[in-house]
Amino acid sequence: MKRAYNFNPGPAALPLEVLEQAKEELVEYGGKGMSLMEMSHRSKPVERMMEETRQLLAELLGLPQGYQALFMGGGASTQFALIPMNFLAADRVGHYVLSGSFSDKAYQEAVTVGEANVIASGKADKWRKLPDVGELQVDATAAYVHLTTNNTIEGTQFRELPDVGDAPLFGDMTSDMLSRKQDWTKFGFMYAGAQKNLGPAGVTVAIVREDMLHVSSERAIPTILKYATFASNESLYNTPPVHSIYMMKLVLEWTKRQGGVAEMERRAALRTGMLYETIDASGGFYNGFADKEARSRMNVTWRMQDEAIEKRFVQEALQNGFEGLAGHRSVGGLRASAYNAVPVEACEALVQFMRDYQRRNG
Ligand SMILES: Cc1ncc(COP(=O)(O)O)c(C=O)c1O
């Protein structure tokens, strides 16, 4: 099999080594005469696997004491709703920084639950720029400030975190968790759907600072939708997405073998650096979508002269083994999502293809 150059935005590339290992262990796990998927989630092998995954995640991220990682279902979108349900009391307000369509969705979900407002927005700039978060007006009654650290669709990323005073900062890190060092102490809560850097779809990691578990929205919410339920039951209150968690464990082990988050950060700069250089050196044949200062190290977005040439680019790229390069329908153009498992060589090959395409069509 020739592996595709996989630039899918999520679900996204997984390391080949991880897939091979999963294949090896698919039919029988730990000499038990059955696969992991056939075991009770209350069995020792599953409990151990979950505990090891939790520890490895904390170790790789460098989580300080007092933070707990929960494994949940429902994708990051479910977190948009669970956050206000759990943390937004009737006499408080949830502040939202809008930097892309996913942050807008998070906000739209919050207003169905309680009072939420927008304290900074890049919508007027069509999300090309990050909103100015230099002097945020954070209310004394703020339950939290919600921020999307990397905007997957638009290809922008916050490199610096805003000062939110005493309010807890909440981060949607779906598309950049595990790709760079982060000052976790600034966050009261952060979450990521696994399907970018962490593993396959099906599990969502929610990391909660333990004091936040005592914050109550005083809303009558079902037990299964409470973070405290997951925290006090080690994410085993009900049947967790065992196979997805197991795959995440393999991805985390691979990440550690590669050199951890520092190495992931170095590779991300290298991968996206060469793509941005190619765009900038093209004399306007390729036009970066995101403002230069806001550029993401995960998702590189660009436009071309017209839609017809963009379509042809995607088609020809596909014929040459490059998958997933069409931009999101809301932005158009092209997008190369280069998450942790995308080899640097895939970006080198894409650079060659882009230069060659320009030579033939420029
Ligand atoms: C930043 C961000 N937030 C939220 C989501 C939604 O995730 P899910 O599809 O897991 O609900 C995505 C999906 O790509 C995302 O990139």
Side-chain angles (χ1 to χ4, degrees):
M1 176 189 65
K2 185 180 181 319
R3 292 277 284 167
Y5 296 123
N6 186 348
F7 290 98
N8 277 327
L14 289 166
L16 181 59
E17 273 176 53
V18 164
L19 296 172
E20 301 278 10
Q21 190 180 345
K23 186 168 85 174
E24 286 284 303
E25 294 179 338
L26 186 74
V27 177
E28 183 172 34
Y29 184 80
K32 293 282 176 193
M34 65 178 85
S35 75
L36 187 73
M37 289 176 284
E38 298 165 285
M39 287 179 198
S40 164
H41 58 294
R42 310 270 171 220
S43 64
K44 281 275 166 274
V46 174
E47 275 184 12
R48 201 174 316 119
M49 181 279 291
M50 289 197 38
E51 186 48 37
E52 283 169 11
T53 310
R54 226 182 334 261
Q55 279 179 13
L56 199 49
L57 182 69
E59 178 193 328
L60 283 171
L61 293 178
L63 282 185
Q65 283 292 317
Y67 286 81
Q68 236 192 92
L70 315 175
F71 301 143
M72 305 176 76
S77 303
T78 301
Q79 301 297 317
F80 297 167
L82 295 185
I83 287 169
M85 288 168 92
N86 279 268
F87 299 117
L88 185 52
D91 58 350
R92 309 209 113 203
V93 58
H95 282 332
Y96 283 77
V97 173
L98 301 196
S99 52
S101 22
F102 280 116
S103 56
D104 203 9
K105 279 189 168 168
Y107 166 66
Q108 296 299 341
E109 205 70 313
V111 294
T112 69
V113 176
E115 191 186 340
N117 68 0
V118 175
I119 54 168
S121 175
K123 201 169 194 168
D125 294 313
K126 299 206 163 52
W127 311 126
R128 281 168 183 265
K129 292 183 184 169
L130 289 170
D132 182 5
V133 291
E135 281 179 29
L136 290 177
Q137 297 297 314
V138 180
D139 204 274
T141 63
Y144 55 81
V145 177
H146 183 281
L147 178 89
T148 307
T149 51
N150 184 72
N151 301 288
T152 323
I153 291 175
E154 299 80 7
T156 62
Q157 186 174 31
F158 283 97
R159 308 226 61 82
E160 305 284 331
L161 295 172
D163 180 5
V164 295
D166 293 334
L169 183 61
F170 281 24
D172 175 357
M173 303 185 178
T174 296
S175 49
D176 67 353
M177 189 178 275
L178 205 70
S179 72
R180 59 171 172 164
K181 289 184 277 323
Q182 193 65 272
D183 182 0
W184 304 108
T185 59
K186 297 212 163 163
F187 290 91
F189 182 87
M190 51 269 187
Y191 61 99
Q195 65 273 19
K196 322 284 186 186
N197 288 314
L198 297 170
V203 58
T204 304
V205 171
I207 299 172
V208 58
R209 203 175 60 208
E210 275 155 10
D211 62 289
M212 293 304 298
L213 292 168
H214 305 296
V215 172
S216 167
S217 68
E218 283 153 28
R219 292 176 195 278
I221 55 171
T223 312
I224 189 63
L225 301 182
K226 288 181 184 163
Y227 292 113
T229 303
F230 283 79
S232 56
N233 290 281
E234 260 107 36
S235 303
L236 277 162
Y237 174 76
N238 72 326
T239 319
V242 175
H243 185 69
S244 297
I245 298 170
Y246 157 76
M247 288 296 293
M248 178 162 74
K249 175 169 176 272
L250 299 190
V251 171
L252 294 172
E253 286 168 349
W254 173 86
T255 307
K256 188 171 172 176
R257 285 198 301 276
Q258 299 297 304
V261 167
E263 176 62 13
M264 295 301 119
E265 189 163 1
R266 188 189 72 81
R267 288 185 198 172
L270 197 64
R271 277 191 301 256
T272 53
M274 67 177 84
L275 294 176
Y276 289 127
E277 265 171 41
T278 307
I279 289 169
D280 293 342
S282 73
F285 186 75
Y286 301 114
N287 287 302
F289 173 78
D291 200 52
K292 278 192 183 170
E293 285 81 70
R295 283 174 165 178
S296 164
R297 288 195 177 156
M298 293 279 104
N299 314 91
V300 177
T301 47
W302 72 96
R303 301 289 324 236
M304 294 170 71
Q305 200 182 331
D306 58 50
E307 283 185 20
I309 193 168
E310 289 172 346
K311 247 193 191 135
R312 279 207 306 280
F313 180 96
V314 172
Q315 273 162 6
E316 247 189 69
L318 260 177
Q319 285 158 8
N320 285 275
F322 298 93
E323 292 276 343
L325 289 174
H328 188 271
R329 58 195 176 279
S330 64
V331 169
L334 293 309
R335 170 175 54 171
S337 299
Y339 299 117
N340 288 358
V342 173
V344 171
E345 299 78 53
C347 290
E348 287 166 352
L350 180 57
V351 163
Q352 283 312 315
F353 177 79
M354 287 170 76
R355 289 195 185 135
D356 189 46
Y357 189 86
Q358 180 174 4
R359 228 179 347 259
R360 287 183 285 106
N361 297 277

